[in-house]
């Protein structure tokens, strides 16, 4: 039932959002002529790698300068800053849900180096596909504002990621279809200004 629900919601979401997705794609392309999408390898169900899709919000090859985004990161494009503020850069992940690589609610997919540091926790969380949103996503919606620029990596690994994993594990223990609906509703409500 969960897979069917995710598939139907993702398909409807992509269909209904097609005009918005088209406008965003044109804005990203027009801004600097670079690729519209950014596809980054992330760890999925059973520790298998997949490419998470996003609208590109940074200059091309920005990930070569680090995986984390500082509060006023110079790598963000003008359009990208707006997309990230409203989480619109995440909308292409509905395609990842449609293909079964992700689901609507679940732990956020992470890059390999961070998963390796917390393999025990991820072993419990990645027995199913990662998700677009969950309580940790909502709690850390403005994660980049918490970073201290000189200590981002250390802060993420020692403070932020462990707390996000704790929230995701706590949610996973008592998760139900109705709690997922509540998380989805809270996510949509958090997108409105």
């Amino acid at each position: 039932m969960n897979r069917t629900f995710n598939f139907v919601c993702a398909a409807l979401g992509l269909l209904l959002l097609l005009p918005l997705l088209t406008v965003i794609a044109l804005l990203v392309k027009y801004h600097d002529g670079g690729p519209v999408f950014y596809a980054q390898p992330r760890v999925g169900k059973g520790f298998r790698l997949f490419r998470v899709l996003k609208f590109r919000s940074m200059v091309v090859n920005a990930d070569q300068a680090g995986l984390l985004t500082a509060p006023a990161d110079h790598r963000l494009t003008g359009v990208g800053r707006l997309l990230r503020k409203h989480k619109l850069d995440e909308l292409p992940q509905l395609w990842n849900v449609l293909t079964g690589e992700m689901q609507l609610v679940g732990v956020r997919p992470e890059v390999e180096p961070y998963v390796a540091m917390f393999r025990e926790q991820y072993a419990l969380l990645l027995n199913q596909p990662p998700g677009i949103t969950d309580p940790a996503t909502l709690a850390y919606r403005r994660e980049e504002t918490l970073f201290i620029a000189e200590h981002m990596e250390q802060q993420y690994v020692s403070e932020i990621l462990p707390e996000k994993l704790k929230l995701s594990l706590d949610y996973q223990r008592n998760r139900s279809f109705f709690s997922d609906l509540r998380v989805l509703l809270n996510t949509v409500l958090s997108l409105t200004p």
Side-chain angles (χ1 to χ4, degrees):
M1 180 174 138
N2 190 35
R3 175 69 190 121
T4 303
F5 175 77
N6 278 278
F7 181 86
V8 169
C9 287
L12 285 173
L14 287 168
L15 186 63
L16 294 173
L17 293 171
L18 188 58
L20 176 63
L21 297 172
T22 303
V23 169
I24 292 171
L26 291 171
L27 287 171
V28 171
K29 188 67 174 176
Y30 178 77
H31 182 73
D32 64 8
V36 170
F37 297 106
Y38 174 69
Q40 184 183 46
R42 299 282 180 107
V43 181
K45 181 180 179 181
F47 294 99
R48 287 186 301 258
L49 288 179
F50 74 100
R51 292 194 167 284
V52 69
L53 295 176
K54 296 184 176 199
F55 280 118
R56 185 175 56 83
S57 60
M58 293 186 154
V59 297
V60 176
N61 297 322
D63 53 358
Q64 294 175 1
L67 297 172
L68 301 173
T69 306
D73 204 304
H74 69 281
R75 300 172 299 166
L76 285 168
T77 65
V79 171
R81 197 172 307 283
L82 178 68
L83 294 177
R84 283 196 175 204
K85 179 180 179 183
H86 299 287
K87 301 296 185 190
L88 296 173
D89 61 317
E90 310 282 351
L91 288 176
Q93 289 167 39
L94 288 171
W95 179 259
N96 291 115
V97 173
L98 194 68
T99 62
E101 297 166 318
M102 290 177 67
Q103 57 186 336
L104 296 171
V105 179
V107 65
R108 287 292 298 154
E110 190 56 87
V111 293
E112 265 187 297
Y114 297 136
V115 172
M117 291 178 198
F118 297 92
R119 189 165 178 89
E120 184 179 328
Q121 292 92 329
Y122 278 107
L124 298 170
L125 293 166
L126 291 176
N127 61 356
Q128 53 188 288
I132 292 178
T133 188
D134 78 336
T137 306
L138 291 168
Y140 285 88
R141 178 167 153 57
R142 299 282 177 226
E143 176 180 295
E144 69 279 357
T145 64
L146 302 175
F147 286 129
I148 300 166
E150 307 81 41
H151 306 286
M152 286 190 336
E153 181 86 20
Q154 189 265 337
Q155 183 184 11
Y156 186 69
V157 170
S158 66
E159 298 170 26
I160 294 173
L161 187 52
E163 183 57 31
K164 287 168 68 173
L165 288 169
K166 181 185 178 312
L167 290 169
S168 293
L169 285 164
D170 288 346
Y171 180 74
Q172 188 71 14
R173 285 186 193 99
N174 300 307
R175 184 177 179 183
S176 71
F177 178 74
F178 294 106
S179 66
D180 280 2
L181 289 178
R182 204 168 27 256
V183 168
L184 287 171
L185 178 63
N186 288 336
T187 299
V188 170
L189 293 175
S190 75
L191 297 176
T192 57

